[in-house]
Amino acid sequence: MTQSQVQTVVADPASVDAAIESRFSARAFLPDPVPQDTIRDILRVASRAASGTNTQPWKVYVLQGASRDALVDKVCAAHNAIYADPAVAAQYREEYDYYPEKWVSPYIDRRRENGWGLYGLLGITKGDKDAMHAQHQRNYRFFDAPVGLMFTLDRVMGRGSLVDYGMFIQSIMVAARARGLHTCPQAAWNGFAKIILPHIGAGEGEMLVCGLSLGYADEAARVNTFHTPREPVESFTRWLG
Ligand SMILES: Cc1cc2nc3c(=O)[nH]c(=O)nc-3n(C[C@H](O)[C@H](O)[C@H](O)COP(=O)(O)O)c2cc1C
């Protein structure tokens, strides 16, 4: 769409809503490959996302096949090493604070509800550390999705670029839905930037923003029945007249 954006009528608003509302964080994917043209199309559409002064600060690395599998092996090994000896975690750190240092209500409550809801659905109890570790590690297998995306940001950019990035990634997830695909955005990778950045060939000046799994969701997987709640509009909106 290069002309008359102003005249474009969204003929079917229900489809737009369906693409947005059917997006969820899928955590089990089928091995079915995703055509390269489809991935390119999704990225092209998503690149229409707004960004401050049109800076378009995103940089995307698409991992498939051998590059995907090799990264999975490296990060799973590091994740296992930390599990065997928690002191090893000191070697890894996130490049920016995605989560707060100190959790407070109501966010901590929602976080707990989310975590235990997911583990509960999978029958994983609080004391079952091995099962928790294994489930957490599914992040580092892209939940079996054939495509992994890694997003980086030039370190010279400001915090506002992370706002732009959110819009871009949401657009990817919605455009994926329009093509029968599902996604899971993943901050779980962030702590392993030290492994990921050299693996993908990112330059010195790039910071890892997060990863994302992309593929066809496994409809038979119990984990994909997990449905997260939302606060009603009135609870987060003040109407000023
Ligand atoms: C930037 C970002 C990072 C996330 N990181 C992870 C992750 O590492 N692993 C995971 O399983 N889910 C991750 N999530 C998914 C959230 O848990 C999920 O969006 C939230 O619980 C709402 O559920 P929904 O996406 O199914 O609507 C992430 C979401 C966002 C937006």
Side-chain angles (χ1 to χ4, degrees), residues 1-231:
M1 191 179 305
T2 53
Q3 57 183 18
S4 73
Q5 283 168 298
V6 74
Q7 287 166 355
T8 299
V9 174
V10 177
D12 181 8
S15 290
V16 179
D17 291 356
I20 294 171
E21 293 185 319
S22 65
R23 185 216 58 79
F24 77 104
S25 296
R27 295 186 178 91
F29 291 85
L30 299 171
D32 306 14
V34 182
Q36 187 116 325
D37 285 349
T38 305
I39 304 171
R40 188 176 288 106
D41 252 11
I42 290 170
L43 295 174
R44 180 185 52 76
V45 170
S47 76
R48 294 303 315 174
S51 60
T53 63
N54 202 23
T55 39
Q56 306 168 67
W58 35 78
K59 187 157 184 186
V60 185
Y61 294 85
V62 182
L63 291 109
Q64 304 169 91
S67 67
R68 174 208 172 280
D69 296 349
L71 183 67
V72 164
D73 287 348
K74 286 182 199 174
V75 176
C76 284
H79 187 233
N80 284 336
I82 292 171
Y83 189 52
D85 176 8
V88 174
Q91 294 174 22
Y92 301 100
R93 66 172 194 90
E94 295 181 354
E95 296 200 88
Y96 69 100
D97 296 335
Y98 181 69
Y99 294 110
E101 203 176 306
K102 187 178 179 314
W103 283 92
V104 297
S105 204
Y107 314 108
I108 180 74
D109 315 312
R110 292 178 192 153
R111 177 179 166 84
R112 284 197 181 119
E113 182 190 1
N114 193 63
W116 291 116
L118 186 63
Y119 284 138
L121 179 74
L122 297 171
I124 300 172
T125 53
K126 216 170 188 171
D128 196 347
K129 293 212 167 89
D130 287 350
M132 282 171 69
H133 175 73
Q135 177 56 31
H136 191 221
Q137 187 162 103
R138 292 198 35 78
N139 272 287
Y140 308 121
R141 301 181 187 283
F142 290 109
F143 300 108
D144 298 330
V147 184
L149 304 186
M150 287 292 161
F151 303 107
T152 70
L153 174 65
D154 196 320
R155 289 177 204 279
V156 301
M157 298 304 279
R159 281 198 292 172
S161 293
L162 289 173
V163 178
D164 304 337
Y165 235 115
M167 301 192 200
F168 175 63
I169 294 172
Q170 171 75 1
S171 298
I172 289 176
M173 296 193 289
V174 173
R177 280 289 44 240
R179 290 159 178 80
L181 291 155
H182 275 286
T183 53
C184 186
Q186 297 174 271
W189 294 98
N190 295 11
F192 295 106
K194 194 171 125 179
I195 298 173
I196 297 164
L197 293 173
H199 181 86
I200 61 180
E204 281 289 298
E206 289 172 57
M207 172 185 102
L208 183 67
V209 174
C210 68
L212 181 135
S213 298
L214 173 71
Y216 296 96
D218 182 353
E219 287 179 23
R222 195 171 165 73
V223 72
N224 284 342
T225 64
F226 188 54
H227 185 73
T228 53
R230 292 295 187 272
E231 296 298 312

